[in-house]
Each structure stands twice: as C-alpha cells, then as structure tokens.
Amino acid sequence: MIRPVFLVRIGVMRSDRIGHFALETELWLLEQESGVASRPKRSVDIWFAPEPIANRVLHKMWKQVLTIWPNWLMVSVFRINNLIPGAFAHQINKTTATCLDVHNLLDVYPPRLKFTATQIEQGHAGLAKLGMKPTDRFVCFIVRDSAYTKKAFPEKDMSYHDFRNCDVDDYVAGAEALADRGLFVLRMGSVVSKPLVSSNPRVIDYANSKVRSEFMDLFLGAHCEFNVSDGLGFYAIPAMFRRPNAYVNYSPFFMYYSSRACDLGIAKTMIDTATGKRLNLTEMGNRGVARFGETSQFTSAGVSVKSNTPSEIKDLMLEMLDRIESKWSSRPEDDELQRKFWEKYSEIIGPDRENFHGEIWSKYGAQFLRDNQDWIL
C-alpha cells in the first residue's frame, strides 16, 4: 500500500561469518556509492543481522552507516514479507559477487567505517597489554584450521572445506623473519587448534592471549602494516580498512583475490596422488581441478592439495615487506612472468574469470614465479 509513496526494503546481513559481515557489507555500500548497483528512488533500507553474530563490535559500528533493526522484530517481518506477492521488490539486493571486489572499488573509495577517538585510545591500551607501543609496526597473520567452524557450527559438516586447512607451524619461520626486521607479528584467530610456538618475543600468539577480543580483532586488522592470510575470513577486516593482504596457501584457486594493487600472494598447489607429481597450470586446467571448491572433488579426481612450504611462505612475507618499504628488487623477467601467469590463470578457470574477478590489479608472488617457471606452463 505504501510502495507508491516510498519503498521499504529489508536486507539480511551475512553476520555469521566475519568475512561476509565485514567485506560483503562494505562492498554493498561501495556498489551503491559508485552507482554499480541502482537504488530505487524514495526508498528506505532496513537491515537485520541474524544470530550468531560473528563480531558484535562490528555490528555496532555498522549502525554508524546503516539502519539496523533488532532481530526479534525483523525476522518475523522478513518472513511475512516473503509470503506476500511482490516480496522481491522489498528485498535489498545482494552484492555482485559476495566478498569479491569484481568492480575494483576498494582501491578507489575510502573505508566507510572509522574508529572514534575513544576507540583508538582503547586500541592503544590493548597494544600496551601486548607489550607494544602505538608507534610500533606490526603484521597480522591468520591460519585456517577446523577448530573455529567445529565450535561455531557444531551441527554442520564443514569437512568440504578441509582442503583449505593449514598448519601454523609452517608460518613460524616467516613470522620470525619479519620480527628480525623490527616488526611485531601477531597470530590472529578466535578459536584455534594449537598454539603458536616461537622463542622470538616479537612473535605473539594473540589468538591465545588474554588480550584477544572482538574489538581488538577489528583494531589490529585495521591498523596492521599488512595481513598474511590463506583467504580465511579475517582478511576482510584489513581489506575493508584498506590495509594490504599477503596471501599464502590461498584456496580455492579460482577465487584468488585479485582486485587490489597492494595485494600479493601465492596459492596452494595440486599433486597427482597416483604419481606424486605436481600439476602445472595447464594440467590443472585440463583436469578441471583449478575450478574445484570442495574436498570431495579433489579426492574423486585423484588430486591432493598441497600447502606452500615454510620457505615459500617466508619468501612471500618478506617480498611483501620489501614492496611496502620500497626495497623490493625487480628483475627484467618479472613482468613477463606475471603476464604469463595471469594469462594462463584466466584461461584455466574458464567462466569463473568473469564471475569472480574484475580487472586484475594484484600481483602473484614474484619469487615463487621465478622459482617455479615450469609450473606456469
């Protein structure tokens, strides 16, 4: 009845996973601001965030820029609306590709959220408890394992994602190398399967510390020099606050985050289980495994997914730091290796190139490409 006067739309936030709650929401706002997504004239948008909410501090911060009403009211309103003819007109549109910035907006528009002066003081107090000063440079890193999903979603079988899991021990050499360059290195996470073991006082197992909180998760992600991630949801916090991400062990391969010029990374590789031979890019494309996204698909195809080695992880971390500090030494062949990789990558992921990527602005790890030129074939 009121639609001829103004349109009320309802949106369901992806609040159960931090990656979606942070970056998908940010991208929705940017797609509106940029004109990528059209918004009806004389419309009012009302959101709600279903339980479980991955980060309640972020929930409160989103209220700075979005109208978010309580679940006790909006869940029922949403369900009733869906029973009415024409319900779709009252639903807020989704982003183009969930958390993927296929329109390259993050490097063009500033962050939509800001920390208040009080929150910054709170963050500095948290740093002090970790033995850090506000002026200290630090890097975050997050390692995917099965601990979080088992606790957060005990009723669900999440084993289809097992191929994405990694071992925190493989990151220690890289973390200590960054610490030797004068940075603090913080292992992130809310629920983890095992502790980080390092004798370097600048390498901190924040995930298992008493300082760890939902607020500090946001503050650290928003203020780090860069973040090291395998694609686990925490990467979205640095991205939404325009901090760089350095990806190692990225998976699934076809969804590699390629849209930001400041990002750098390498993905997991794939092994033929019968021969033990690593598949090159052409073989990955021919066997279709470059587009797989579930553990069972790899198993059925006779392929195992191999994590990057500690040396490869360390090289990528140091390459990222060198690039940020303008110390990276490029070689004449680097541009050609990047071109060959991205050309072959775009070929073997087929239609997913258009579905999950815009313009490719990020770089693949130069050291990895130098050392693995036979893999680009």
Side-chain angles (χ1 to χ4, degrees):
M1 294 176 62
I2 63 173
R3 194 190 305 177
V5 180
F6 64 91
L7 176 65
V8 177
R9 302 195 304 169
I10 303 171
V12 185
M13 306 183 82
R14 284 292 308 275
S15 47
D16 61 328
R17 306 295 289 272
I18 188 62
H20 292 278
F21 198 31
L23 196 53
E24 189 169 340
T25 310
E26 175 81 357
L27 288 173
W28 184 88
L29 288 163
L30 296 185
E31 288 187 5
Q32 297 292 313
E33 182 178 352
S34 66
V36 166
S38 60
R39 178 174 178 173
K41 295 181 179 179
R42 298 193 303 275
S43 63
V44 176
D45 288 347
I46 302 172
W47 296 84
F48 69 100
E51 297 286 350
I53 295 175
N55 188 300
R56 294 188 181 278
V57 178
L58 181 58
H59 182 223
K60 184 176 181 180
M61 292 180 73
W62 278 133
K63 292 181 180 180
Q64 299 173 14
V65 294
L66 294 170
T67 300
I68 303 175
W69 283 11
N71 290 337
W72 64 263
L73 172 64
M74 294 308 298
V75 170
S76 297
V77 171
F78 185 73
R79 289 173 178 170
I80 293 170
N81 176 70
N82 288 345
L83 299 175
I84 300 173
F88 182 76
H90 293 276
Q91 296 177 7
I92 297 175
N93 58 289
K94 304 293 185 181
T95 58
T96 305
T98 64
C99 299
L100 298 172
D101 183 18
V102 296
H103 303 291
N104 300 89
L105 300 175
L106 290 171
D107 279 2
V108 177
Y109 292 88
R112 295 304 305 267
L113 294 183
K114 295 181 179 179
F115 289 87
T116 65
T118 300
Q119 287 176 320
I120 292 173
E121 289 181 5
Q122 181 183 350
H124 289 170
L127 291 177
K129 292 178 181 178
L130 291 168
M132 299 166 59
K133 301 186 295 294
T135 54
D136 284 330
R137 300 168 68 205
F138 64 92
V139 169
C140 297
F141 78 97
I142 184 89
V143 179
R144 183 187 182 94
D145 58 42
S146 60
Y148 173 77
T149 52
K150 285 181 178 179
K151 181 176 180 179
F153 309 102
E155 74 287 354
K156 295 182 180 180
D157 179 8
M158 304 295 286
S159 61
Y160 69 94
H161 271 323
D162 282 354
F163 75 97
R164 300 176 65 188
N165 292 340
C166 305
D167 188 338
V168 69
D169 293 345
D170 293 342
Y171 293 69
V172 174
E176 292 179 342
L178 294 178
D180 289 342
R181 294 273 292 267
L183 285 78
F184 284 88
V185 186
L186 281 64
R187 187 267 190 99
M188 309 300 292
S190 59
V191 182
V192 296
S193 63
K194 65 180 182 180
L196 170 68
V197 179
S198 172
S199 59
N200 193 311
R202 287 180 172 268
V203 178
I204 300 172
D205 193 2
Y206 162 81
N208 288 306
S209 74
K210 294 181 179 179
V211 181
R212 199 254 130 200
S213 68
E214 291 186 351
F215 170 77
M216 286 303 294
D217 290 350
L218 294 177
F219 184 84
L220 293 170
H223 293 87
C224 60
E225 196 74 21
F226 63 91
N227 175 59
V228 179
S229 172
D230 49 29
L232 185 61
F234 178 79
Y235 85 95
I237 297 174
M240 71 178 289
F241 286 104
R242 308 306 188 267
R243 307 309 303 150
N245 273 297
Y247 298 106
V248 295
N249 284 322
Y250 195 96
S251 59
F253 188 71
F254 65 93
M255 292 180 69
Y256 181 89
Y257 210 94
S258 63
S259 66
R260 300 189 65 209
C262 60
D263 288 350
L264 178 74
I266 53 177
K268 290 192 174 189
T269 55
M270 301 179 192
I271 307 296
D272 185 298
T273 53
T275 65
K277 177 181 176 293
R278 183 179 69 179
L279 303 182
N280 62 33
L281 292 180
T282 297
E283 292 166 334
M284 288 167 59
N286 290 341
R287 295 177 64 165
V289 298
R291 300 183 62 201
F292 285 177
E294 296 189 6
T295 304
S296 60
Q297 292 177 297
F298 293 104
T299 303
S300 297
V303 170
S304 62
V305 181
K306 182 178 182 294
S307 293
N308 301 133
T309 67
S311 178
E312 290 168 346
I313 294 171
K314 176 183 174 181
D315 286 345
L316 193 285
M317 288 182 175
L318 290 174
E319 180 179 339
M320 185 62 151
L321 181 59
D322 283 345
R323 289 181 182 275
I324 287 174
E325 294 182 343
S326 300
K327 295 178 180 178
W328 175 251
S329 297
S330 294
R331 296 180 183 174
E333 70 269 23
D334 286 341
D335 287 345
E336 179 63 11
L337 290 173
Q338 291 287 332
R339 186 195 66 77
K340 286 182 177 179
F341 168 76
W342 288 114
E343 183 178 272
K344 179 60 70 172
Y345 177 86
S346 298
E347 174 190 324
I348 67 174
I349 65 171
D352 290 330
R353 170 63 179 86
E354 181 177 352
N355 295 336
F356 300 119
H357 302 267
E359 294 182 17
I360 292 176
W361 290 0
S362 68
K363 286 184 169 59
Y364 211 77
Q367 188 62 54
F368 183 89
L369 294 182
R370 292 172 185 173
D371 295 341
N372 295 275
Q373 296 188 38
D374 59 333
W375 177 71
I376 311 175
L377 299 176

